[in-house]
Amino acid sequence: MFFKKTLSTNKQEKEKSKDADNIIPTNRERMSLEFRRRLQNSADIVETEVPGTGITLFYFHTLIDMNLLHKDIIEQIKNQSFHSIENIMGQLSVGIMDKTNQMDKVIQSAIGGHVIIHLEGADKVIYARIASNTGRALSNAINESQVIGPQIAFNESLSTNLSLIRKYIADPNLSIEDIRVGKRTTTAVSLIHIHGIANQQMVDILRDRIKKINMDGLIDSSVLVQLIEDNSLSIFPQMVLTERPDRICSWLLMGKLVVMVDGSPQAIACPQSFLEYFQSMEDKNVNWQVATFLRLLRIFALFLSVYFTAIYVASLTFHYEVIPQTLLIPLSESRARVPFPPIMEALIMEFFIELLREAAARLPTKVGQSMGIVGGIVIGTAAVDAGFTSNILIIIVALGALASFTTPNYSMGNIVRVLRFPIIVLAGFWGFYGIMFGFCFILIHLLRQSSLGTPFLTPFYPPRLADWKNSIIRLPLTFTAKRPNQTRPEDVDKYNPSVAKEKE
Amino acid sequence: MDIQYQPKPQLLLSTFLVFFIIHDIQVGVGIQGFQRIIFLEAKQDAWISVILSGILTHMIVFIMIKTLQYYGSSDIYGIHHDIYGKWIGRMMNCLYIFYCLVTSLVILKNYIEVIQTWMFPQVPTWFLSISLLLLVVYGVTGGIRVIVGVSFFNIVLSMWMLGLIGYPIRYSDYTHFLPILESNIPAILKGTFKMTFTVIGFEILYVIYPHLKEKNKVQKFAHLAIAITTILYLLLMLLAIAYFSSGQLEKSIWVTLSLFKIVKLPFIERMEYIAIAFWMLIIIPNIMLYLWAAVRGMNRTFNINESNFIWIFSLILFISSLFLNTRMKINTFNDKFALAAFYLVYCYPIILFVFVLIKKKIKGFKEKQI
Amino acid sequence: MIKKRILAVYLLAFFNLTGCAEPQILEEIGLITTIGYDEGEKGLIKGTAVELKIEPDAKTDIKIVETQAYSVRGLNTSANKKTSKRLLAGQLRVILLGEELAHQRMLHISDTLAKDPAISDLSYLSIVEGEARDLLNLQDPHIPNIGLHLFRLIEQNTKDEIMPSATLQEVLHRYYSAGRDPFIPILKKIDNSEVKFTGVGIYKDDRLVGRISTDQSFYLKLINDKYKAGSTELIFMSESPKLRGLSHSERKTVISLDTIHSNSDIKLVNKKNLEFDIKVKLNARLIDINSDIDLTKSSNLKLFEKEVSKEMEKRVENLIAYCQSKNSDIIGLGEVYRFSVRNSKLTKKKWHEMYPNAKVNVKVDFTMMRSGIND
C-alpha cells in the first residue's frame, strides 16, 4: 500500500530485466555492492557486521538512532547463530519491522530510517524502523497565539502531530490515511477525517486531488494547498493553514477534512469559507458576547483596512463635496504643503508601511521592534514635517495597517493588505465609482470561488440562516448544537441541545 | 427543442431566493426618479397609483406562475415552442430575447446618465459602459448561482440606505397629501400605467422558474417580494410628496437621490454621492439577470453555446449604449420602452395564459377521444 | 487563458490613460464657502465669493473674490480669471443676497444654484441690508474667516430657534407651494465689526415686498412651525396694575420666557368668506419678570397667563395684518385652503387675489410650566 505508486512507475520503466535484479542477493558481498550502487555510494552508508552471526546491518547513520541500534538490535542478536531470518525477528524487540525479498523495498526502507538486517544465505532481509527523531520539541503557537485555551502548536514531525490529534480525539472513527506525494521526496501526507461526520464524497474528491499530484518534491503543506485548492489563480486561499492542534480538532469535529504533511508544522483544513478566516479559535473560548464583539470588530477592521485610505483618496481627489465643514479646514491645511496628488501620497505611505512591516518581519525580533519605532515615529514625523505627506493620511494609513493585523489568519492578513493597493488606484482614478467597481469585482470574485465544492461565501450565500448563528456573530453554545451545513456532514447533531440546556 | 427543461441539481436554487431575485430586479433604475412621473399624472394621490400598480402586479404574477405550473419545469421559451410551434415560437422567443436586451440597455444607460450628471460629467460613456459590462460579464459567466448571489448581497448590503430616509422625514409636511382622492380616477390609473417602467422585472420568473427547487412555494415568495417592493415604492412616494412641494417635485428628475441630498453625518456629508456610487451594486445584478435571460433564450431556442453569446450580447449592449447620448434621446427611449414593456409584461401573460388553457383543453379533449 | 489575461492588463492600462475622470483635488481648487450677490449696473450681477484658500504662509485662510457677470454661472467663469485655483462651489454654505438684488432676482439665483448637483440643498440663504459685498469685506481681528463666521452665526441662531430657517431647499419648497410665500432672514453689518440678524424679508411670489422685525419672526415661527426649546422676551403694557413693571420707566411689564414648547393649528372655518382660525398652544418657563406679582397664587397665575396670551394674540394679529397688507402669505394659509377645499385648483395667482381679504382669528393659549428654582 505504502509504495504502490512508486512501485508501479518503476515497473513500467524497466519491466523485465528489473524483475530479476530486484531479488535480494543472498551473498553479502553482492548485497553490499547492490545496496551501495543503488544509493549512489553515499558517504553515510554504514555496513556493520554483527560478530559471530553472519548478520550484516545496512543503514544510513544519519537517519537512525544509534542508541536504539545497539540496545535493541545488536545487543539482542550478538554472539548467537541463526538459521533463518524468522529466528532473528523473534529475538528483536523493535516495534515496526518486516521482511522482504525485494531490493526496491529495501532501498525505500533504508531511506525511510530503517536498518536492513541481512543474514548470509537467506533469501529475505528484515527491515526494522529505528529512525532518529531529529527535530525540535513541541512549542507554543507563535503565529496564532491566543490568551485563553491551549498553547501548543504542531511541529515538523508528522507522527508527533498525529499523536496530538489522537490525544484530543480518542474516537475509533478518526481515520488517518497515508498518501505519498513527490516522486523524489515521497513525502508522507496524511488525510484525516472523522468517519461518520465528514462527507464521504468530499473525502473522495480530496484524496483524488492529492493522488493526482505529479511533482518531484513536496516540502511544505503551503505548497500542497496551492496544488489542491479549487482555484489557485485566485488571490484568496480556499483552504486554510493552521498550526494549532486544538483548532484542527474542533474543525475535524465539525466535519472538515485535514491534510498534514510530514515535515511541515502547519496542517491544511478544508472546506473553508471566507468568513472563517476572520474567526479565531479564541472566539470559542471566551463567552459569546465578547466573541460577537470581537468578530464584528474584525469585520469592521477588514472594511476599514481595505477601504479607508481609498475613501480618503477619493474624497480628496474627486468628491470634495462630501467633506464635512468641520473637517474641511484641517484637511486642507494638512494637504496644503504636500507636493503630490492624494493618490501618490497614499501609495507612498502605504508602500512605506509595507516596507516597515516586511523589514520587521525579516529581522530578528529585537531588531524588529526598534525598527518599528524608527519607522513609525522618526520617519513618520519627519515625513509630515518635511511636507511629504499630510498627518491625517498618516493616521488613516496607520489605522488601516493596524486593522489589517487583526485578521487572525496570517495569509489572509497579507491579502487584505495587498487588496488595498488596487482599490486605492481605482479610487485615485474614478473616485467612489472606482471604489465601488473594486467592491463589486471582489464580491463577484468571491461568489465565484468554492472550497472543495462548497461555496466560498457560505453561510451568507447560499443563505443558511441556521449557520448565521456562528458567523460574524457567535450565539451561546446552546444555540449552535448543529454542525454547519458548509461541510455537508453525515451526522448533523453536535449534541442534543435539550440535554445541554438542562444544567440544574 | 425540449419543452421541459430540467437544470442540473447544482444549478438549482432554494426557492426563497426568488424573493431576492424579484425584489432586486424590480428595484432597479426606476426607483431613482419614478415619483415625478407619477406625480405629474396623479398629483398628491400618486401614492394610490403605486398601491394599485402593486395589486396589478400581484395579479399578473399569479397568472404567470399558474401558466408555468401547467408545464412543471419549463420556461417561457419552452412554452412558446409548445404553444406556437417551431417557427412562430422561435420568433416569439427572439422577441423576448430582444426585450431582455433592451431592458438591460435601459438600466445601463439610465445609470450612466446619473453618473454623468451627478459625479463625472467628463468621463465618457464608453468607459462607464465598458466598466459596468465587464463586471456583468464576469458575473454572468459564473452562472446563475453567482448572479443570484450578487442580487442577494445587493439587498442585504443596501439595507443601510433605508436608514437615510429618516433625514428627509424631519422636513416633511404631511398636509401635502390632503385632500385625498382629489385627482380623478383616470388620472390615478394613468399614474398606475406610468408605474410600469418602475415595477417591471418580475417577468424574470418566466426564465428563472425551472431553476427553483420547490415549485409549490414559488407563489409565496414571489408575492412576498412584490409586496415588499410595493411597500418600498409607497414609502418613497409618500416621502417625496411630503418632503417636496408640488412645484419642486414636478421639476426634479431623480427625486430619490434628491431626498438623500440633505443627509449629513458627522464624518460625511452629501450622502447622495455615496448612494450613487453604491447604486452600482443594485444595477449590476439587474443587468446580469436580463443578460442571462437573453443568453439562456438563445441557448434554448437555437441550442447555441451560451458563453459566446454573453460576449456578443455585451458587445451589442455596449455599442447601442453609445448611441443614446443625450437626455432627450434617453427620455424618448424610456417612454417608448415603458409602453412596450407594459404590453409585454402586463398584457401578454394574460394572453399566454389563455392560450395555454386552450391548448391544454384541446389536448385533454384529444386524449379522451383516443 | 494567459493571452486573455495579458489582453486584460493592456485594456486596463488603456482605460487608465483615456477614461480617467477629471480630478478636483482639494488643495488645487478654490472652495467657495460663501457667496454674495449684488445688483450691478445695467443688469449685471456683482458676485462676491469667499474663497477658502489654505496657504501655509498666508495670514488668513480666505480670499475675497469680486467679479461681475450677466448670469450666475458666468460669475464663476469670470471669477476664475482672478484666482490661482479653480473655483468650485461644492462646499457652498451661505448664500447672501444684496438688498437691491433680493427684490427681483432671488428666485433666479436660487433656482440656478439648486440645479447644480454639487451645491448642497442645506445652504443657507440670507438677505443683506445694504450690499452683500460690503458685509463680506468686513474687517475684524476676531473674525478671521467671514464665511465660517456667517455660517456658524446662522446655524447657531437657527438651531436655537431665533432665526427662521431658510435653507435653499426650504425657500424653494415654499416658493413652489401653491399657497405659501417664502421668507428669508436679513443680516446687517454693524460698525464694520459685527454682523447681526435684524429681521426677516417677506416675499410675494419672487418679489421682496416687506420685512418683519426679529420679534415678529418669533411669532412667525410660532404659527408656522413648532417650538421645542425657544426663548423670547415680551414687553407690554399690562391692563392690570398688579402686573405693571417696577423697573421700567413707563411701567411696562417685561417678561422673559425660556424652553418654549409650542404647537399651532390652523383651520379653515369658512370656505366662502375665507375665515381661518389659528390656535396656538404654548408653554414655557418664566425666567424673569419685572413686577412683584405673586405667581404662586392661582388667581394671579391665571391673570398672568391670560395677559400674556392676549398680548401674544395681538402680536400675531398684527403680523398677519402686515403680511396681508403686503399680500405675502408666509404663514401658509393658502396651503390650509388648498388641502381643506376639494378641487380648489389653487394657483399662486388665484391665492394672492383671495388672501388679502381673508379673516383670521387668533387664539393663543399660554401656560406657565414653572419659574426657575425660586418662586
Side-chain angles (χ1 to χ4, degrees):
Chain A
M1 181 69 200
F2 272 23
F3 307 106
K4 208 167 138 194
K5 203 170 163 184
T6 352
L7 277 179
S8 65
T9 47
N10 276 352
K11 262 179 200 164
Q12 279 163 7
E13 282 165 19
K14 312 161 184 176
E15 268 193 61
K16 284 171 195 166
S17 60
K18 198 69 205 169
D19 254 8
D21 291 350
N22 220 354
I23 305 296
I24 303 246
T26 49
N27 179 275
R28 186 210 143 182
E29 304 291 311
R30 281 180 53 211
M31 173 70 188
S32 170
L33 271 173
E34 183 67 18
F35 190 76
R36 285 176 184 273
R37 184 183 68 80
R38 290 213 186 189
L39 290 167
Q40 312 307 322
N41 214 355
S42 245
D44 52 349
I45 295 175
V46 178
E47 262 181 74
T48 314
E49 212 169 327
V50 184
T53 52
I55 292 174
T56 317
L57 306 175
F58 296 87
Y59 56 89
F60 285 98
H61 72 84
T62 45
L63 287 179
I64 62 162
D65 190 329
M66 294 308 253
N67 280 335
L68 285 180
L69 181 72
H70 282 282
K71 210 171 79 206
D72 292 350
I73 297 177
I74 299 181
E75 282 290 319
Q76 306 295 329
I77 54 177
K78 104 178 147 186
N79 298 327
Q80 298 180 39
S81 65
F82 297 100
H83 301 294
S84 67
I85 58 162
E86 280 80 7
N87 281 347
I88 306 174
M89 278 178 89
Q91 282 291 323
L92 296 180
S93 60
V94 179
I96 304 167
M97 61 176 174
D98 207 347
K99 54 194 178 186
T100 183
N101 64 349
Q102 297 289 307
M103 200 60 202
D104 283 333
K105 183 78 190 166
V106 167
I107 299 299
Q108 285 298 335
S109 316
I111 297 170
H114 292 68
V115 60
I116 312 295
I117 304 164
H118 181 260
L119 179 66
E120 184 69 33
D123 57 348
K124 284 182 183 171
V125 292
I126 303 171
Y127 56 96
R129 184 173 160 80
I130 46 166
S132 67
N133 282 319
T134 42
R136 61 192 173 98
L138 289 170
S139 61
N140 282 6
I142 297 165
N143 297 329
E144 294 168 69
S145 62
Q146 63 185 32
V147 181
I148 303 167
Q151 303 293 334
I152 205 161
F154 287 131
N155 70 6
E156 282 78 4
S157 154
L158 181 63
S159 55
T160 317
N161 294 348
L162 291 178
S163 75
L164 278 174
I165 294 178
R166 279 274 184 212
K167 249 180 222 165
Y168 275 108
I169 306 174
D171 182 348
N173 287 325
L174 182 74
S175 148
I176 301 176
E177 199 175 311
D178 204 349
I179 306 169
R180 295 275 158 165
V181 176
K183 254 188 248 153
R184 295 193 184 277
T185 56
T186 55
T187 314
V189 173
S190 293
L191 171 58
I192 310 160
H193 71 274
I194 297 180
H195 192 78
I197 300 178
N199 185 293
Q200 213 50 49
Q201 220 178 333
M202 284 191 186
V203 178
D204 293 341
I205 295 172
L206 190 61
R207 184 189 301 124
D208 212 45
R209 281 193 195 164
I210 298 174
K211 281 192 172 164
K212 270 192 188 141
I213 294 171
N214 184 12
M215 71 187 306
D216 58 343
L218 178 69
I219 303 297
D220 192 56
S221 50
S222 48
V223 181
L224 187 64
V225 165
Q226 295 167 41
L227 295 170
I228 59 175
E229 64 190 353
D230 297 37
N231 176 8
S232 54
L233 291 175
S234 169
I235 186 171
F236 298 100
Q238 294 118 46
M239 292 179 183
V240 71
L241 287 168
T242 182
E243 58 170 6
R244 302 193 62 89
D246 54 334
R247 206 157 191 212
I248 283 296
C249 292
S250 96
W251 276 338
L252 278 171
L253 288 170
M254 268 165 75
K256 290 197 183 187
L257 319 182
V258 170
V259 177
M260 297 194 84
V261 177
D262 193 15
S264 166
Q266 289 189 308
I268 306 167
C270 57
Q272 174 81 351
S273 77
F274 178 66
L275 205 63
E276 281 172 300
Y277 284 100
F278 300 93
Q279 297 172 355
S280 150
M281 192 59 207
E282 208 169 18
D283 294 351
K284 280 200 177 141
N285 303 342
V286 295
N287 61 356
W288 65 276
Q289 296 95 334
V290 177
T292 301
F293 171 74
L294 289 176
R295 283 186 179 179
L296 289 174
L297 186 76
R298 280 188 216 121
I299 294 293
F300 178 69
L302 167 69
F303 278 92
L304 198 72
S305 129
V306 176
Y307 292 106
F308 203 23
T309 320
I311 288 172
Y312 169 87
V313 171
S315 317
L316 258 62
T317 316
F318 296 103
H319 312 291
Y320 69 97
E321 294 98 337
V322 303
I323 303 168
Q325 200 264 333
T326 41
L327 278 179
L328 192 62
I329 291 175
L331 264 180
S332 352
E333 267 171 0
S334 71
R335 277 286 304 161
R337 294 180 59 183
V338 182
F340 312 112
I343 175 174
M344 283 309 295
E345 184 198 8
L347 284 177
I348 289 170
M349 276 320 288
E350 291 285 358
F351 182 64
F352 172 62
I353 289 260
E354 287 310 298
L355 277 184
L356 267 183
R357 192 196 55 75
E358 186 64 18
R362 300 284 155 252
L363 285 172
T365 334
K366 279 174 192 165
V367 188
Q369 276 171 357
S370 42
M371 179 86 196
I373 295 166
V374 170
I377 299 169
V378 179
I379 302 183
T381 336
V384 174
D385 282 346
F388 207 63
T389 57
S390 65
N391 36 21
I392 291 181
L393 182 74
I394 297 235
I395 298 171
I396 288 172
V397 168
L399 210 59
L402 197 64
S404 79
F405 292 130
T406 59
T407 312
N409 185 285
Y410 177 75
S411 49
M412 194 46 105
N414 283 344
I415 287 156
V416 167
R417 274 196 299 279
V418 172
L419 273 185
R420 210 170 340 168
F421 286 92
I423 302 275
I424 292 173
V425 172
L426 282 169
F429 282 121
W430 302 290
F432 290 155
Y433 182 85
I435 296 180
M436 211 49 216
F437 181 87
F439 179 80
C440 286
F441 184 83
I442 294 172
L443 182 68
I444 298 174
H445 180 77
L446 283 173
L447 276 166
R448 287 178 64 130
Q449 304 312 313
S450 63
S451 170
L452 212 63
T454 319
F456 198 41
L457 280 178
T458 193
F460 286 114
Y461 184 79
R464 308 251 179 253
L465 274 176
D467 294 347
W468 288 21
K469 289 183 278 194
N470 187 5
S471 54
I472 53 170
I473 55 167
R474 184 174 85 76
L475 292 189
L477 288 175
T478 39
F479 288 88
T480 50
K482 288 199 190 311
R483 296 201 167 86
N485 189 284
Q486 172 200 18
T487 55
R488 277 177 270 143
E490 288 176 354
D491 178 14
V492 173
D493 290 310
K494 271 195 224 165
Y495 46 82
N496 185 349
S498 61
V499 175
K501 266 178 203 165
E502 290 168 13
K503 277 172 198 158
E504 282 93 338
Chain B
M1 75 183 265
D2 296 325
I3 294 158
Q4 292 289 325
Y5 171 61
Q6 192 60 54
K8 286 179 213 143
Q10 64 263 37
L11 289 178
L12 283 178
L13 302 164
S14 307
T15 310
F16 75 92
L17 283 173
V18 81
F19 169 80
F20 293 97
I21 298 169
I22 292 185
H23 181 59
D24 169 71
I25 201 167
Q26 277 195 297
V27 182
V29 94
I31 194 172
Q32 291 174 328
F34 73 101
Q35 293 99 326
R36 173 206 195 193
I37 308 166
I38 322 300
F39 187 83
L40 282 174
E41 300 295 340
K43 297 294 167 202
Q44 72 265 37
D45 294 321
W47 57 275
I48 301 175
S49 301
V50 176
I51 294 177
L52 284 180
S53 93
I55 294 169
L56 186 65
T57 310
H58 273 299
M59 286 177 350
I60 298 294
V61 166
F62 181 77
I63 290 173
M64 276 168 66
I65 298 175
K66 272 272 168 256
T67 318
L68 287 163
Q69 275 172 347
Y70 273 116
Y71 284 87
S73 179
S74 180
D75 51 15
I76 191 166
Y77 303 115
I79 295 175
H80 277 160
H81 187 83
D82 183 48
I83 301 276
Y84 304 114
K86 193 177 170 192
W87 290 106
I88 304 179
R90 276 193 176 173
M91 257 171 58
M92 291 305 284
N93 285 354
C94 287
L95 192 72
Y96 204 79
I97 292 166
F98 181 68
Y99 164 76
C100 289
L101 283 180
V102 173
T103 321
S104 322
L105 180 65
V106 168
I107 299 171
L108 181 72
K109 197 53 222 184
N110 277 290
Y111 181 58
I112 291 177
E113 178 68 12
V114 174
I115 294 266
Q116 286 180 332
T117 320
W118 221 291
M119 272 170 128
F120 297 129
Q122 324 87 351
V123 175
T125 307
W126 65 262
F127 172 77
L128 295 171
S129 187
I130 279 192
S131 57
L132 290 170
L133 283 172
L134 275 180
L135 281 180
V136 168
V137 169
Y138 189 50
V140 174
T141 48
I144 184 67
R145 287 189 75 120
V146 172
I147 300 172
V148 177
V150 182
S151 56
F152 171 77
F153 276 105
N154 149 32
I155 288 169
V156 175
L157 294 179
S158 46
M159 294 272 208
W160 61 271
M161 280 208 209
L162 278 179
L164 299 185
I165 288 176
Y167 285 82
I169 279 181
R170 288 190 290 183
Y171 291 86
S172 295
D173 181 354
Y174 300 103
T175 61
H176 287 179
F177 300 124
L178 301 170
I180 290 170
L181 271 176
E182 199 184 38
S183 315
N184 49 16
I185 305 290
I188 292 177
L189 287 180
K190 210 156 173 224
T192 310
F193 168 69
K194 292 266 176 174
M195 268 303 277
T196 326
F197 178 64
T198 314
V199 291
I200 54 161
F202 55 87
E203 69 276 6
I204 197 77
L205 259 177
Y206 269 148
V207 190
I208 205 114
Y209 187 77
H211 284 275
L212 301 170
K213 249 182 219 158
E214 294 151 309
K215 306 278 193 274
N216 53 340
K217 282 188 186 164
V218 177
Q219 285 280 16
K220 190 169 92 186
F221 288 110
H223 284 295
L224 185 67
I226 306 278
I228 298 284
T229 313
T230 310
I231 290 171
L232 182 69
Y233 281 140
L234 184 64
L235 203 68
L236 286 171
M237 189 78 229
L238 290 174
L239 196 62
I241 298 173
Y243 176 76
F244 293 107
S245 57
S246 59
Q248 275 178 305
L249 201 49
E250 279 162 20
K251 284 179 103 178
S252 46
I253 302 170
W254 292 292
V255 179
T256 309
L257 293 178
S258 297
L259 283 174
F260 292 153
K261 251 188 139 175
I262 63 151
V263 178
K264 198 171 171 181
L265 299 175
F267 49 92
I268 211 152
E269 282 185 3
R270 307 295 297 283
M271 220 41 179
E272 82 269 21
Y273 280 86
I274 313 273
I276 289 168
F278 199 84
W279 220 272
M280 189 195 288
L281 187 60
I282 299 173
I283 297 305
I284 293 276
N286 285 1
I287 305 176
M288 278 187 205
L289 279 166
Y290 276 115
L291 188 64
W292 173 82
V295 172
R296 164 50 42 84
M298 289 309 281
N299 174 270
R300 294 271 288 144
T301 318
F302 304 106
N303 233 331
I304 319 177
N305 187 357
E306 290 192 8
S307 57
N308 289 335
F309 268 89
I310 296 173
W311 288 98
I312 293 170
F313 281 161
S314 313
L315 196 67
I316 293 172
L317 283 180
F318 169 65
I319 292 167
S320 27
S321 74
L322 295 183
F323 286 105
L324 283 172
N325 43 11
T326 63
R327 175 78 58 77
M328 272 309 284
K329 280 189 200 164
I330 294 171
N331 282 349
T332 333
F333 190 72
N334 281 352
D335 289 344
K336 282 188 182 146
F337 170 76
L339 190 68
F342 177 76
Y343 288 122
L344 197 68
V345 177
Y346 279 90
C347 305
Y348 182 62
I350 304 172
I351 300 169
L352 192 67
F353 182 64
V354 173
F355 280 161
V356 170
L357 273 187
I358 295 170
K359 170 108 189 183
K360 292 278 155 181
K361 276 270 154 63
I362 295 172
K363 212 175 167 187
F365 187 65
K366 271 184 186 166
E367 273 166 11
K368 259 183 205 168
Q369 278 196 329
I370 295 162
Chain C
M1 197 66 193
I2 289 170
K3 262 190 185 168
K4 260 188 196 170
R5 259 155 225 282
I6 292 171
L7 188 74
V9 170
Y10 276 122
L11 273 177
L12 225 74
F14 176 66
F15 290 160
N16 281 347
L17 295 174
T18 54
C20 196
E22 191 189 339
Q24 305 168 336
I25 299 171
L26 186 65
E27 73 277 4
E28 286 174 13
I29 50 178
L31 296 172
I32 301 177
T33 55
T34 308
I35 192 158
Y37 296 103
D38 287 306
E39 197 75 42
E41 284 161 29
K42 295 176 199 160
L44 278 167
I45 303 175
K46 278 202 279 187
T48 314
V50 178
E51 181 199 349
L52 186 72
K53 196 176 182 187
I54 310 281
E55 299 279 353
D57 306 322
K59 268 184 192 164
T60 53
D61 287 345
I62 56 159
K63 188 179 180 322
I64 308 288
V65 186
E66 289 174 34
T67 161
Q68 291 199 357
Y70 284 99
S71 69
V72 177
R73 293 264 109 208
L75 280 175
N76 214 335
T77 323
S78 67
N80 256 330
K81 291 174 192 157
K82 287 189 177 177
T83 55
S84 56
K85 294 175 176 180
R86 188 154 56 106
L87 288 177
L88 288 172
Q91 284 280 352
L92 186 65
R93 313 231 161 214
V94 178
I95 304 154
L96 298 178
L97 307 170
E99 201 175 356
E100 212 180 320
L101 179 123
H103 277 105
Q104 308 280 339
R105 300 216 209 175
M106 181 279 287
L107 181 71
H108 167 63
I109 285 173
S110 356
D111 251 355
T112 318
L113 292 179
K115 217 178 244 172
D116 188 344
I119 288 171
S120 165
D121 278 354
L122 290 176
S123 312
Y124 290 110
L125 272 169
S126 282
I127 297 172
V128 177
E129 253 184 276
E131 281 210 320
R133 173 180 166 274
D134 199 30
L135 185 123
L136 288 175
N137 276 314
L138 177 139
Q139 302 282 337
D140 186 82
H142 298 294
I143 306 174
N145 183 343
I146 179 76
L148 189 63
H149 178 75
L150 283 174
F151 173 66
R152 294 253 167 91
L153 177 99
I154 298 174
E155 194 179 40
Q156 181 261 117
N157 276 302
T158 314
K159 269 196 184 142
D160 290 351
E161 305 183 305
I162 293 166
M163 201 188 253
S165 176
T167 56
L168 198 54
Q169 148 71 10
E170 281 163 306
V171 169
L172 287 174
H173 179 267
R174 289 194 193 104
Y175 174 77
Y176 283 111
S177 300
R180 187 170 274 163
D181 284 310
F183 52 82
I184 300 174
I186 300 173
L187 298 177
K188 192 184 177 189
K189 182 167 100 166
I190 295 168
D191 303 336
N192 203 21
S193 64
E194 274 183 333
V195 183
K196 198 184 161 193
F197 165 48
T198 53
V200 177
I202 61 172
Y203 277 81
K204 177 198 170 187
D205 286 348
D206 54 343
R207 296 293 146 100
L208 181 66
V209 286
R211 63 177 290 174
I212 56 175
S213 68
T214 49
D215 282 343
Q216 280 174 310
S217 97
F218 171 81
Y219 298 98
L220 171 64
K221 189 166 165 69
L222 195 65
I223 22 182
N224 221 345
D225 206 346
K226 279 175 186 164
Y227 272 104
K228 279 175 200 138
S231 60
T232 190
E233 195 183 50
L234 195 65
I235 305 169
F236 62 101
M237 198 64 204
S238 175
E239 282 166 17
S240 139
K242 270 192 198 165
L243 263 168
R244 295 270 159 88
L246 300 169
S247 53
H248 202 277
S249 53
E250 294 163 49
R251 304 219 44 179
K252 274 187 179 171
T253 317
V254 180
I255 62 167
S256 266
L257 297 176
D258 184 334
T259 52
I260 296 171
H261 204 91
S262 81
N263 60 60
S264 68
D265 182 27
I266 309 179
K267 269 201 186 110
L268 179 67
V269 284
N270 192 332
K271 286 178 190 176
K272 275 203 179 134
N273 297 328
L274 218 53
E275 193 178 335
F276 292 94
D277 267 1
I278 300 180
K279 271 187 197 152
V280 180
K281 263 195 182 160
L282 174 102
N283 50 52
R285 183 174 75 164
L286 178 72
I287 45 172
D288 191 12
I289 182 165
N290 67 344
S291 78
D292 52 2
I293 186 169
D294 179 11
L295 286 175
T296 47
K297 260 193 199 166
S298 72
S299 63
N300 281 351
L301 184 66
K302 232 173 225 167
L303 177 81
F304 171 70
E305 284 180 348
K306 216 176 121 194
E307 286 272 317
V308 171
S309 300
K310 221 166 80 186
E311 181 59 26
M312 284 185 168
E313 267 164 33
K314 209 168 82 195
R315 294 194 178 201
V316 172
E317 275 161 11
N318 280 343
L319 172 69
I320 292 171
Y322 176 75
C323 291
Q324 278 182 317
S325 75
K326 296 287 178 190
N327 203 352
S328 162
D329 183 12
I330 50 175
I331 293 157
L333 292 176
E335 277 299 296
V336 181
Y337 179 79
R338 184 193 62 75
F339 72 70
S340 311
V341 180
R342 236 164 221 292
N343 294 320
S344 57
K345 298 265 180 290
L346 193 74
T347 58
K348 270 203 130 80
K349 207 177 158 205
K350 229 161 115 185
W351 179 240
H352 281 301
E353 279 162 21
M354 296 154 75
Y355 171 63
N357 306 318
K359 190 166 178 282
V360 183
N361 312 313
V362 184
K363 177 99 184 62
V364 175
D365 182 8
F366 169 73
T367 322
M368 195 186 90
M369 299 300 283
R370 55 188 76 83
S371 61
I373 47 169
N374 302 328
D375 272 332

